[in-house]
Amino acid sequence: MHTFIKSLLLSLALCLPAFAGQPPVNVNTADAATIAASLKGVGQSKAEAIVAWREKNGSFKSPEELAKVQGIGDKTVAANRELILVEGTAANTR
């Protein structure tokens, strides 16, 4: 039993970093490199498209507006909902 508990604790300790997750990113202020590093399924070129859209059209008012950026779809927005900040608030609190 003692060995089982040790194994269980070791397994939990190894899993904790996976649960820590990425910190949210404010898509209205972050640069392309930060957006690419923070959002799942968003590489450098898509992140640059997000920044270009923001510079042309102004700040994103909701996470859903990211889907207006070419290459970013509803699935990408949904997959990153917990990571997207607009105006300093988490997207899931809107």
Side-chain angles (χ1 to χ4, degrees):
M1 182 68 165
H2 184 65
T3 304
F4 173 75
I5 292 173
K6 280 180 156 180
S7 297
L8 182 61
L9 290 174
L10 178 61
S11 297
L12 287 172
L14 293 173
C15 290
L16 285 178
F19 292 116
Q22 282 277 48
V25 61
N26 188 326
V27 295
N28 288 325
T29 59
D31 62 13
T34 302
I35 293 170
S38 300
L39 299 182
K40 297 175 253 177
V42 176
Q44 187 64 30
S45 63
K46 288 182 183 179
E48 289 171 3
I50 290 170
V51 172
W53 190 96
R54 179 182 75 203
E55 289 172 352
K56 180 179 178 186
N57 299 289
S59 296
F60 294 97
K61 300 198 180 16
S62 71
E64 290 75 24
E65 273 195 302
L66 282 172
K68 294 181 178 180
V69 177
Q70 187 170 357
I72 306 293
D74 293 332
K75 288 182 182 180
T76 301
V77 174
N80 289 290
R81 187 157 313 281
E82 300 294 323
L83 300 173
I84 300 169
L85 294 176
V86 292
E87 300 180 33
T89 60
N92 62 336
T93 62
R94 290 177 106 9

